[in-house]
Amino acid sequence: TTIFDAMVYALYDDLPGERGGRTAEPRSQHAEPGSLTWVTLDFEVNDIHYRVRREPTQERPKQKGSGFTKHNAQASLAEVTNGVERPILDGAKDVANRCQELVGLSASQFQRVVLLPQGKFTQFLIATDKDREELLGQLFDGQVYDRALAQLKASAIELAAKVEGTATQI
């Protein structure tokens, strides 16, 4: 669960399930106070290696004096070639949007896809028809089937018209 949470947080700036939302706290409760925490996730899309890094809002030691100060959330996305990072963009929202484009799934779709093999098939089954159709369409490139179906329907209409024309002639 911790690894799954880290993946979703890294890609989408969100936490799965009931822990999610704008008030969610991704920082580990086991981290030492003042110790900066972050998550880094490497993933590959179309043979391109990407690295996303997120740091939640957290308290860190002041650079001068004693006490703590607020460390604002940060996010970055980079392309990695031969171990060398080439920054692509920064910013929590921009990184989340770009990761969604790269992965091809929204945060909720990604969670459903990853949760299916973890015994959460029931959640998939009780999803609305629209949600299931959208998810399966993205997973299995449903546009191909939609185009084939449209062509078959057009052919059926054309053939029905020919049959009707032939029947009229007879």
PDB file of all heavy atoms in Angstrom, residues 145-163:
ATOM      1  N   TYR A 145     -12.037  -0.167 -31.854  1.00  0.00           N
ATOM      2  CA  TYR A 145     -13.304  -0.886 -31.901  1.00  0.00           C
ATOM      3  C   TYR A 145     -14.464   0.057 -32.205  1.00  0.00           C
ATOM      4  O   TYR A 145     -15.405  -0.312 -32.900  1.00  0.00           O
ATOM      5  CB  TYR A 145     -13.535  -1.654 -30.605  1.00  0.00           C
ATOM      6  CG  TYR A 145     -12.422  -2.621 -30.320  1.00  0.00           C
ATOM      7  CD1 TYR A 145     -11.496  -2.378 -29.314  1.00  0.00           C
ATOM      8  CD2 TYR A 145     -12.261  -3.768 -31.094  1.00  0.00           C
ATOM      9  CE1 TYR A 145     -10.454  -3.254 -29.070  1.00  0.00           C
ATOM     10  CE2 TYR A 145     -11.219  -4.651 -30.858  1.00  0.00           C
ATOM     11  CZ  TYR A 145     -10.317  -4.389 -29.849  1.00  0.00           C
ATOM     12  OH  TYR A 145      -9.290  -5.251 -29.623  1.00  0.00           O
ATOM     13  N   ASP A 146     -14.390   1.285 -31.678  1.00  0.00           N
ATOM     14  CA  ASP A 146     -15.436   2.262 -31.971  1.00  0.00           C
ATOM     15  C   ASP A 146     -15.481   2.577 -33.462  1.00  0.00           C
ATOM     16  O   ASP A 146     -16.560   2.665 -34.055  1.00  0.00           O
ATOM     17  CB  ASP A 146     -15.222   3.553 -31.167  1.00  0.00           C
ATOM     18  CG  ASP A 146     -15.466   3.380 -29.676  1.00  0.00           C
ATOM     19  OD1 ASP A 146     -16.146   2.402 -29.297  1.00  0.00           O
ATOM     20  OD2 ASP A 146     -14.976   4.221 -28.900  1.00  0.00           O
ATOM     21  N   ARG A 147     -14.309   2.750 -34.075  1.00  0.00           N
ATOM     22  CA  ARG A 147     -14.255   3.028 -35.517  1.00  0.00           C
ATOM     23  C   ARG A 147     -14.776   1.831 -36.318  1.00  0.00           C
ATOM     24  O   ARG A 147     -15.523   2.000 -37.287  1.00  0.00           O
ATOM     25  CB  ARG A 147     -12.818   3.377 -35.948  1.00  0.00           C
ATOM     26  CG  ARG A 147     -12.379   4.771 -35.500  1.00  0.00           C
ATOM     27  CD  ARG A 147     -11.071   5.181 -36.151  1.00  0.00           C
ATOM     28  NE  ARG A 147      -9.956   4.301 -35.864  1.00  0.00           N
ATOM     29  CZ  ARG A 147      -9.131   4.417 -34.823  1.00  0.00           C
ATOM     30  NH1 ARG A 147      -9.305   5.403 -33.965  1.00  0.00           N
ATOM     31  NH2 ARG A 147      -8.132   3.575 -34.644  1.00  0.00           N
ATOM     32  N   ALA A 148     -14.382   0.623 -35.923  1.00  0.00           N
ATOM     33  CA  ALA A 148     -14.850  -0.583 -36.620  1.00  0.00           C
ATOM     34  C   ALA A 148     -16.368  -0.700 -36.500  1.00  0.00           C
ATOM     35  O   ALA A 148     -17.056  -1.013 -37.483  1.00  0.00           O
ATOM     36  CB  ALA A 148     -14.166  -1.823 -36.059  1.00  0.00           C
ATOM     37  N   LEU A 149     -16.897  -0.439 -35.310  1.00  0.00           N
ATOM     38  CA  LEU A 149     -18.339  -0.506 -35.097  1.00  0.00           C
ATOM     39  C   LEU A 149     -19.067   0.515 -35.970  1.00  0.00           C
ATOM     40  O   LEU A 149     -20.097   0.206 -36.580  1.00  0.00           O
ATOM     41  CB  LEU A 149     -18.668  -0.284 -33.615  1.00  0.00           C
ATOM     42  CG  LEU A 149     -20.137  -0.359 -33.225  1.00  0.00           C
ATOM     43  CD1 LEU A 149     -20.713  -1.734 -33.558  1.00  0.00           C
ATOM     44  CD2 LEU A 149     -20.298  -0.055 -31.753  1.00  0.00           C
ATOM     45  N   ALA A 150     -18.525   1.731 -36.048  1.00  0.00           N
ATOM     46  CA  ALA A 150     -19.139   2.771 -36.878  1.00  0.00           C
ATOM     47  C   ALA A 150     -19.150   2.348 -38.351  1.00  0.00           C
ATOM     48  O   ALA A 150     -20.153   2.553 -39.054  1.00  0.00           O
ATOM     49  CB  ALA A 150     -18.396   4.094 -36.705  1.00  0.00           C
ATOM     50  N   GLN A 151     -18.055   1.753 -38.809  1.00  0.00           N
ATOM     51  CA  GLN A 151     -17.999   1.285 -40.199  1.00  0.00           C
ATOM     52  C   GLN A 151     -19.012   0.161 -40.443  1.00  0.00           C
ATOM     53  O   GLN A 151     -19.675   0.131 -41.482  1.00  0.00           O
ATOM     54  CB  GLN A 151     -16.585   0.801 -40.549  1.00  0.00           C
ATOM     55  CG  GLN A 151     -15.601   1.934 -40.771  1.00  0.00           C
ATOM     56  CD  GLN A 151     -14.206   1.413 -41.108  1.00  0.00           C
ATOM     57  OE1 GLN A 151     -13.768   0.402 -40.563  1.00  0.00           O
ATOM     58  NE2 GLN A 151     -13.530   2.111 -41.996  1.00  0.00           N
ATOM     59  N   LEU A 152     -19.108  -0.761 -39.514  1.00  0.00           N
ATOM     60  CA  LEU A 152     -20.062  -1.857 -39.654  1.00  0.00           C
ATOM     61  C   LEU A 152     -21.500  -1.345 -39.676  1.00  0.00           C
ATOM     62  O   LEU A 152     -22.326  -1.828 -40.464  1.00  0.00           O
ATOM     63  CB  LEU A 152     -19.874  -2.884 -38.537  1.00  0.00           C
ATOM     64  CG  LEU A 152     -18.591  -3.716 -38.607  1.00  0.00           C
ATOM     65  CD1 LEU A 152     -18.411  -4.536 -37.339  1.00  0.00           C
ATOM     66  CD2 LEU A 152     -18.615  -4.616 -39.840  1.00  0.00           C
ATOM     67  N   LYS A 153     -21.806  -0.374 -38.835  1.00  0.00           N
ATOM     68  CA  LYS A 153     -23.155   0.200 -38.820  1.00  0.00           C
ATOM     69  C   LYS A 153     -23.452   0.888 -40.151  1.00  0.00           C
ATOM     70  O   LYS A 153     -24.550   0.739 -40.703  1.00  0.00           O
ATOM     71  CB  LYS A 153     -23.308   1.191 -37.661  1.00  0.00           C
ATOM     72  CG  LYS A 153     -23.502   0.534 -36.315  1.00  0.00           C
ATOM     73  CD  LYS A 153     -23.699   1.578 -35.223  1.00  0.00           C
ATOM     74  CE  LYS A 153     -23.901   0.910 -33.870  1.00  0.00           C
ATOM     75  NZ  LYS A 153     -24.080   1.896 -32.799  1.00  0.00           N
ATOM     76  N   ALA A 154     -22.487   1.640 -40.669  1.00  0.00           N
ATOM     77  CA  ALA A 154     -22.670   2.321 -41.954  1.00  0.00           C
ATOM     78  C   ALA A 154     -22.884   1.293 -43.065  1.00  0.00           C
ATOM     79  O   ALA A 154     -23.757   1.469 -43.930  1.00  0.00           O
ATOM     80  CB  ALA A 154     -21.467   3.214 -42.263  1.00  0.00           C
ATOM     81  N   SER A 155     -22.100   0.204 -43.045  1.00  0.00           N
ATOM     82  CA  SER A 155     -22.264  -0.860 -44.049  1.00  0.00           C
ATOM     83  C   SER A 155     -23.638  -1.515 -43.925  1.00  0.00           C
ATOM     84  O   SER A 155     -24.280  -1.815 -44.934  1.00  0.00           O
ATOM     85  CB  SER A 155     -21.177  -1.923 -43.892  1.00  0.00           C
ATOM     86  OG  SER A 155     -19.914  -1.393 -44.201  1.00  0.00           O
ATOM     87  N   ALA A 156     -24.103  -1.740 -42.694  1.00  0.00           N
ATOM     88  CA  ALA A 156     -25.405  -2.361 -42.473  1.00  0.00           C
ATOM     89  C   ALA A 156     -26.518  -1.476 -43.022  1.00  0.00           C
ATOM     90  O   ALA A 156     -27.460  -1.975 -43.655  1.00  0.00           O
ATOM     91  CB  ALA A 156     -25.614  -2.626 -40.981  1.00  0.00           C
ATOM     92  N   ILE A 157     -26.405  -0.181 -42.805  1.00  0.00           N
ATOM     93  CA  ILE A 157     -27.413   0.757 -43.319  1.00  0.00           C
ATOM     94  C   ILE A 157     -27.410   0.741 -44.849  1.00  0.00           C
ATOM     95  O   ILE A 157     -28.465   0.688 -45.494  1.00  0.00           O
ATOM     96  CB  ILE A 157     -27.164   2.184 -42.770  1.00  0.00           C
ATOM     97  CG1 ILE A 157     -27.471   2.222 -41.259  1.00  0.00           C
ATOM     98  CG2 ILE A 157     -27.991   3.223 -43.523  1.00  0.00           C
ATOM     99  CD1 ILE A 157     -27.030   3.489 -40.558  1.00  0.00           C
ATOM    100  N   GLU A 158     -26.209   0.757 -45.423  1.00  0.00           N
ATOM    101  CA  GLU A 158     -26.075   0.730 -46.886  1.00  0.00           C
ATOM    102  C   GLU A 158     -26.651  -0.566 -47.466  1.00  0.00           C
ATOM    103  O   GLU A 158     -27.404  -0.551 -48.454  1.00  0.00           O
ATOM    104  CB  GLU A 158     -24.594   0.864 -47.265  1.00  0.00           C
ATOM    105  CG  GLU A 158     -24.328   0.947 -48.745  1.00  0.00           C
ATOM    106  CD  GLU A 158     -22.840   1.068 -49.053  1.00  0.00           C
ATOM    107  OE1 GLU A 158     -22.130   1.740 -48.288  1.00  0.00           O
ATOM    108  OE2 GLU A 158     -22.408   0.459 -50.053  1.00  0.00           O
ATOM    109  N   LEU A 159     -26.335  -1.696 -46.856  1.00  0.00           N
ATOM    110  CA  LEU A 159     -26.843  -2.986 -47.334  1.00  0.00           C
ATOM    111  C   LEU A 159     -28.357  -3.086 -47.173  1.00  0.00           C
ATOM    112  O   LEU A 159     -29.059  -3.625 -48.047  1.00  0.00           O
ATOM    113  CB  LEU A 159     -26.144  -4.137 -46.607  1.00  0.00           C
ATOM    114  CG  LEU A 159     -24.681  -4.352 -46.968  1.00  0.00           C
ATOM    115  CD1 LEU A 159     -24.036  -5.370 -46.040  1.00  0.00           C
ATOM    116  CD2 LEU A 159     -24.540  -4.781 -48.429  1.00  0.00           C
ATOM    117  N   ALA A 160     -28.884  -2.560 -46.091  1.00  0.00           N
ATOM    118  CA  ALA A 160     -30.336  -2.580 -45.870  1.00  0.00           C
ATOM    119  C   ALA A 160     -31.035  -1.768 -46.956  1.00  0.00           C
ATOM    120  O   ALA A 160     -32.102  -2.163 -47.454  1.00  0.00           O
ATOM    121  CB  ALA A 160     -30.666  -2.028 -44.485  1.00  0.00           C
ATOM    122  N   ALA A 161     -30.424  -0.634 -47.331  1.00  0.00           N
ATOM    123  CA  ALA A 161     -31.004   0.186 -48.400  1.00  0.00           C
ATOM    124  C   ALA A 161     -30.979  -0.573 -49.720  1.00  0.00           C
ATOM    125  O   ALA A 161     -31.955  -0.514 -50.510  1.00  0.00           O
ATOM    126  CB  ALA A 161     -30.238   1.501 -48.517  1.00  0.00           C
ATOM    127  N   LYS A 162     -29.893  -1.289 -50.001  1.00  0.00           N
ATOM    128  CA  LYS A 162     -29.800  -2.085 -51.227  1.00  0.00           C
ATOM    129  C   LYS A 162     -30.850  -3.195 -51.236  1.00  0.00           C
ATOM    130  O   LYS A 162     -31.487  -3.454 -52.257  1.00  0.00           O
ATOM    131  CB  LYS A 162     -28.397  -2.683 -51.385  1.00  0.00           C
ATOM    132  CG  LYS A 162     -27.362  -1.697 -51.822  1.00  0.00           C
ATOM    133  CD  LYS A 162     -26.007  -2.366 -51.999  1.00  0.00           C
ATOM    134  CE  LYS A 162     -24.950  -1.366 -52.411  1.00  0.00           C
ATOM    135  NZ  LYS A 162     -23.626  -1.989 -52.554  1.00  0.00           N
ATOM    136  N   VAL A 163     -31.018  -3.875 -50.109  1.00  0.00           N
ATOM    137  CA  VAL A 163     -32.016  -4.942 -50.008  1.00  0.00           C
ATOM    138  C   VAL A 163     -33.400  -4.367 -50.254  1.00  0.00           C
ATOM    139  O   VAL A 163     -34.215  -4.960 -50.984  1.00  0.00           O
ATOM    140  CB  VAL A 163     -31.925  -5.650 -48.623  1.00  0.00           C
ATOM    141  CG1 VAL A 163     -33.149  -6.522 -48.382  1.00  0.00           C
ATOM    142  CG2 VAL A 163     -30.657  -6.449 -48.519  1.00  0.00           C
TER     143      VAL A 163
END
